[in-house]
Every structure is written in C-alpha cells, then in structure tokens.
Amino acid sequence: MEKTSGTRTDLARYDNSWYDPGPFWKRTLWYLAGRLLVNTYLPVPNGLKIGVLRIFGARIGAGVTLKPKVNIKYPWFLSVENNTWIGENVWIDNLIQVSIGRNVCLSQGAMLLTGNHDYTRPGFDLMLGKIQLHDGVWIGAQAVVCPGVTCHNHAVLTVKSVATRSLEAYGIYQGNPAVLIKTRNIKELP
Amino acid sequence: MEKTSGTRTDLARYDNSWYDPGPFWKRTLWYLAGRLLVNTYLPVPNGLKIGVLRIFGARIGAGVTLKPKVNIKYPWFLSVENNTWIGENVWIDNLIQVSIGRNVCLSQGAMLLTGNHDYTRPGFDLMLGKIQLHDGVWIGAQAVVCPGVTCHNHAVLTVKSVATRSLEAYGIYQGNPAVLIKTRNIKELP
Amino acid sequence: MEKTSGTRTDLARYDNSWYDPGPFWKRTLWYLAGRLLVNTYLPVPNGLKIGVLRIFGARIGAGVTLKPKVNIKYPWFLSVENNTWIGENVWIDNLIQVSIGRNVCLSQGAMLLTGNHDYTRPGFDLMLGKIQLHDGVWIGAQAVVCPGVTCHNHAVLTVKSVATRSLEAYGIYQGNPAVLIKTRNIKELP
C-alpha cells in the first residue's frame, strides 16, 4: 500500500523446510483422529482420548483428565505427568515439545504457543520454543504461555494473562505482559 | 520436576463431592441438546433456542436474542431479562447462578466465569461465585467477567478486558485487570 | 434491577435498518457455504477455500494461505493481497470493508472487529469502522484489532494485545490497550 521505509517482509521468501514435524501420513491421520475424538464436543470417554493420544506418541501419566474440545497440534511432542487437568477448549499448539508436570491445571480456553517468527528478517523465519509447565502450575482461563517459557513449580498465570517470560516458582502473575503480583502460599488446614 | 519449597498441590486430593449441579441424566440430556441446538453454527431459529433453554430451566425474558455458538454450562442456573443480547461464541460457564438483567449486551466471544480454585490449599478446592449483570451492562467482545463479580447497571467492560472485581454503575473499565477509565453518560439526542 | 441514575439503555429502540450487508439469500448461502468449507476443521484444500471466497465477492491475491476454521462474516467486504497468511481460528468480523495488504500475517485466533455501539445513546446505535492492515503487518495470536483501526506497514501487534488506535509503520505494540513498546527493524542477513 503506501511507501515503506526500510526493508520489507516478503512471505514468498519464507522457508521452513528445515522443520520436520513427522511424516505427512502421520500428521494427516492424527488430524482426522484428533478432530474426531479429542478436538470435539462429542462426549468421548476420557480413557479413549488418552489411548488415542498415546497411540500417536504422547506420554501421558495416570489420573490425567481431558475436557471436551482440546486442540493438540502433535501428540508426539507432548508429555503430561500424573493427575494433571486439561480444560475445555485448551489449545496446545505444540510444533515442538511441550512438557507438563504433575498436578498442573490448564483452565478452559488456555493456550500454549510454541511457534514464533523472526520479525527482523524479510523471510519472517519460523522460530520454535519449547514450553515446560512444572508441577502444580495453574494456567488460568484463556491465558497464554508464549514460546520458550518455563513456568516453574506452582506458578500461577491469572485469567487471560500472557506469560512472555518464564514464571518463578510459587509466583502469581497477571496482565499482558504478565507481571509478578504476589506469592502463592499453600497451606494444610490446621 | 525440580524440588519444591513449601507445600505442593495434589490434585488427587481434589474433592468437589459437595457440589451438586443436578442429576446426571439431566446434565447429559442438556449437553446433547445444547450442543445440537445452541452451541452450534447451525442456523437454529432464535425462538427454538430459547424454548430449549426454558425446558431445561433457564428463565428467559421477552426480546432476548442468541447468536450462533453460545456455550451455556447449565441452563437451570441462568436467568436473562427482557431485550438482552447474547453474542456469537459467548461462553457462559455457569456452574452456579448467573443473573443477567434487561438491555444487556454480551458481545461476541465474551465469557462469564463462575468457577475458581483455592490455590492456597493442596486440594485446589473448587470455589464458586455467582455473577450478576445489571440492566444496560455491556460486556465487550472477548472480555471476561470473573467469579463473584457484579456489574452494576450500565457498566461497560471494553474489548478483551477482565473484570476481576465488581464494576460500578455507569463505569467504563478497561485492561487486565480492568480499571475504571471513564464514566458513561447516556443522552437522548436533542 | 436496582434504580438507575441518568438515562437507560433500551435495546428495544435499537435500529440498524439503515445497514444493508446484502440480500438475505446471499448472506444465507454464504453462511452455509462458509460454515461447510471455510469455518471448519475439515481438511478443505486452500484453493477451494479461496475459490469459494472469490465466488462470494472477496478479492484475494496470489499466494494467500487460509488455515482451518477461519470465520469470515461477509466475503464481499474483504480484500487480501498477495502472499498473506490467515491463521487457524482467525475471526474476521467484517460488517464493512476489511482491506489486508501483501505479506501480512494474522496468527492463530486473531480477531478483526468492525462493529461497535454508541454507548452514549439509549438505542445503542450500531457504529461501523473499516479496518486496513497494510503490507507486512503482523497481528499476533489472539490479538484484536478494533473498528476503524489502520495498522500501517510492518506494524506488529503482540500476542493477545488489543489495538484500539491506529498503529504506526514499523511500530511494535503490546497490551490492552496496546501501546508502542519498540520499533521493528528488518535486516537482510550480512
């Protein structure tokens, strides 16, 4: 449209040929199976969802719960440890490994983003960043964890907040970008 | 994963047995009927949607409009007064009562959240908070109202903002968390 | 509900009869075709999606990519130039013209909003604002562009941020509302 100063983006130069998420047949099969059984509002039994994810290479512990309409990009890049909850409409956009610990809660509509672009290059190069959610982390409803972020144990990201940097253990973060607002103290009832 | 200081979350200890949202058969029937007729892009007549919601116990006034793909958890916990609009992709996650007044607008993608967790307890106890939206309130596109919040009459929550506390009448709130940015003055044309 | 000071909203007085988005048959046909072929997770070939959009009046350039589940209100109010990407779950709510330039990236879950309401009038009058995204703009995942906003060339709106005002060329904006945080410099590799 109008004239631009400086160099321009040219998406025709985009080249992600170095990125190999697995064979086409496998991605296609998962796309169909996932859409039919996991990324759906059909009342599919939890055990069947987990079975299908494992068949496609996900490492999933005991006592893991998946709510309806969970969107997972590639199960073979996902590990989830025991007693973790994955809420309704959660979107795990794992172009690369996402590792989720024990007793983690991903609330409804939460998103884990592993893909980014180098906006300083004309070719808008793909950049990937693994995500780790350590034990006891809580990602609030509609919150987003950005590529390369590690949420250390028992960190909390509040509703609709955006974690652009790693979160400290037991820290409670809010906003876009999320900032530390207080510390989480977990106590047994007396 | 790494060692944790302090007490840990243990979701195996989660106990919401005290919470009774109604009989299983009723929730299952609603889940199917709601998915088929309300939480859908099928062009279902507005009157049919409202009829189904009323059959499942929702109290819905005259002149209420529901756009496509409205996700309502339990109709028997919902009341909506006259001339209120519920936009496309609105998510009313009402584990407990949500009361919406007259002339309220819920814009596309807005979310009403009634469920929370006590992150200070190892068992991550479920905490519920009713939501009230009084007459003339406007919840903007993709905005979120958190558990226990009352939006007093004619309050406005702007696009994608998050109401973590109650909103004053005629206040306009923006951000995450939403803060008061100005006052709403409604005038007749001269 | 409680008494209100000042004038009230009365949605029964809402009148958008002046707004004509096209004949009913055309909107209905698009609603069905769009839902079936574009706003879907079915693996529809990109060329077929673009063909259908063009049949309904969209002006779409060469090398444009549409990912699954793209929600477009009215194709006849959409123009997209060469080599632009429209990501998964993008929502183009174009009640009026949306013009997207070359080499633009709309990341997953991004939303373009063209409809607003005059909250200072009892009738809550519909207000429309065209959106322009100039060449090289990047709208991040789950970010929102508000009605009437122009994003000048190579501007960046970060993840889940909300552009309430126009963005300067080569500016990087973050937050809700989005503010300028730095300048984008695009360089060839030495």
Side-chain angles (χ1 to χ4, degrees), chain B residues 120-133:
Chain B
T120 70
R121 297 282 171 240
F124 207 60
D125 305 342
L126 177 64
M127 300 190 300
L128 301 176
K130 298 180 179 184
I131 286 177
Q132 292 186 49
L133 306 181

Side-chain angles (χ1 to χ4, degrees), chain C residues 77-127:
Chain C
F77 290 146
L78 178 65
S79 70
V80 183
E81 297 185 46
N82 298 352
N83 301 327
T84 278
W85 298 342
I86 300 177
E88 181 173 346
N89 242 320
V90 164
W91 189 349
I92 300 177
D93 196 19
N94 54 336
L95 300 170
I96 190 173
Q97 184 66 28
V98 165
S99 304
I100 303 176
R102 285 168 294 157
N103 301 303
V104 170
C105 175
L106 297 178
S107 289
Q108 53 272 56
M111 183 181 207
L112 307 182
L113 262 182
T114 60
N116 202 346
H117 294 285
D118 185 348
Y119 57 70
T120 70
R121 297 283 172 239
F124 207 59
D125 305 342
L126 177 64
M127 300 190 299

Side-chain angles (χ1 to χ4, degrees), chain A:
Chain A
M1 294 173 165
E2 85 265 39
K3 292 222 184 56
T4 64
S5 64
T7 311
R8 295 178 171 76
T9 305
D10 178 4
L11 295 183
R13 289 172 56 181
Y14 180 71
D15 174 15
N16 65 349
S17 54
W18 55 268
Y19 173 60
D20 175 17
F24 180 76
W25 64 265
K26 185 181 175 186
R27 287 180 279 131
T28 307
L29 263 185
W30 162 247
Y31 187 89
L32 300 172
R35 177 57 184 146
L36 207 67
L37 297 167
V38 181
N39 187 9
T40 176
Y41 274 113
L42 291 175
V44 178
N46 191 62
L48 177 52
K49 293 180 188 178
I50 287 170
V52 175
L53 286 166
R54 284 175 175 154
I55 287 171
F56 282 93
R59 290 180 38 246
I60 307 208
V64 171
T65 304
L66 277 92
K67 294 301 189 77
K69 205 88 183 73
V70 173
N71 186 355
I72 295 167
K73 185 69 175 178
Y74 298 130
W76 47 94
F77 291 146
L78 178 65
S79 70
V80 182
E81 297 184 44
N82 298 352
N83 301 327
T84 277
W85 299 342
I86 300 177
E88 180 173 346
N89 242 321
V90 164
W91 188 348
I92 300 176
D93 197 19
N94 54 337
L95 300 170
I96 190 173
Q97 184 67 28
V98 165
S99 305
I100 303 176
R102 284 169 294 157
N103 301 302
V104 170
C105 175
L106 296 178
S107 289
Q108 53 272 57
M111 183 181 207
L112 307 182
L113 262 182
T114 60
N116 202 345
H117 293 285
D118 185 349
Y119 57 68
T120 70
R121 297 282 171 241
F124 207 61
D125 305 343
L126 177 64
M127 300 190 300
L128 301 177
K130 298 179 180 184
I131 286 177
Q132 291 186 52
L133 307 182
H134 291 189
D135 297 355
V137 162
W138 182 15
I139 305 301
Q142 298 196 346
V144 179
V145 179
C146 292
V149 166
T150 294
C151 299
H152 292 278
N153 73 90
H154 297 82
V156 175
L157 184 64
T158 65
V159 173
K160 231 177 174 86
S161 296
V162 180
T164 56
R165 295 206 187 77
S166 292
L167 308 187
E168 291 173 13
Y170 291 89
I172 300 175
Y173 293 76
Q174 182 178 54
N176 177 12
V179 295
L180 181 67
I181 56 167
K182 55 184 166 178
T183 296
R184 178 182 187 180
N185 295 308
I186 305 177
K187 294 183 220 63
E188 296 288 349
L189 280 167

